[in-house]
Amino acid sequence: MSVVTAQTATPTAVLGTTVLFALFLSLTAHLAARNVLDGADPRRALYVGPLPAVVGVVGGAFAIPTAVTVPVALAIDAAMFRWSYEIESRRVLAAVTAVHVVVTVLLGVVLGGITLLLATRPG
């Protein structure tokens, strides 16, 4: 007989995770915008991160398949870039969104690897 335990998260933990994820996505959004656009204002990146972060946290909390969550988050990410940086060209919008995905994945892998190394150190 197997026992299934339910994992409960406090509202503070969920809010903290969402805020940290939004800040991480805002940082990577600024890095992407700075590399694609000329003179990207870092304050505008703060508008890009929160909604995709909410989609990610809600998708994880409700076990929504990534085949649904990722395209929705990418569409919202592109919409937020278009609105925040006032991008008119679809080609530039696609480029900045693609660079944002690449920068987010690379920085996430590096930070995750550092965290794993620090968590498994002896002593």
Side-chain angles (χ1 to χ4, degrees):
M1 177 175 192
S2 69
V3 177
V4 176
T5 59
Q7 292 182 352
T8 59
T10 64
T12 305
V14 173
L15 180 64
T17 300
T18 306
V19 168
L20 286 175
F21 191 34
L23 288 173
F24 176 73
L25 289 177
S26 294
L27 171 71
T28 57
H30 173 63
L31 294 174
R34 193 182 67 169
N35 285 307
V36 176
L37 306 172
D38 291 330
D41 184 12
R43 289 175 290 177
R44 291 179 181 245
L46 292 173
Y47 299 121
V48 177
L51 288 180
V54 168
V55 169
V57 171
V58 168
F62 291 109
I64 299 171
T66 56
V68 174
T69 306
V70 171
V72 169
L74 284 173
I76 290 174
D77 193 45
M80 293 309 296
F81 268 116
R82 177 177 289 232
W83 174 75
S84 178
Y85 289 97
E86 299 171 354
I87 300 172
E88 297 297 327
S89 169
R90 288 180 186 231
R91 176 175 262 170
V92 173
L93 182 63
V96 75
T97 304
V99 171
H100 185 218
V101 169
V102 170
V103 169
T104 301
V105 169
L106 290 176
L107 194 57
V109 167
V110 168
L111 292 176
I114 290 170
T115 303
L116 181 65
L117 283 174
L118 290 175
T120 57
R121 72 180 191 268

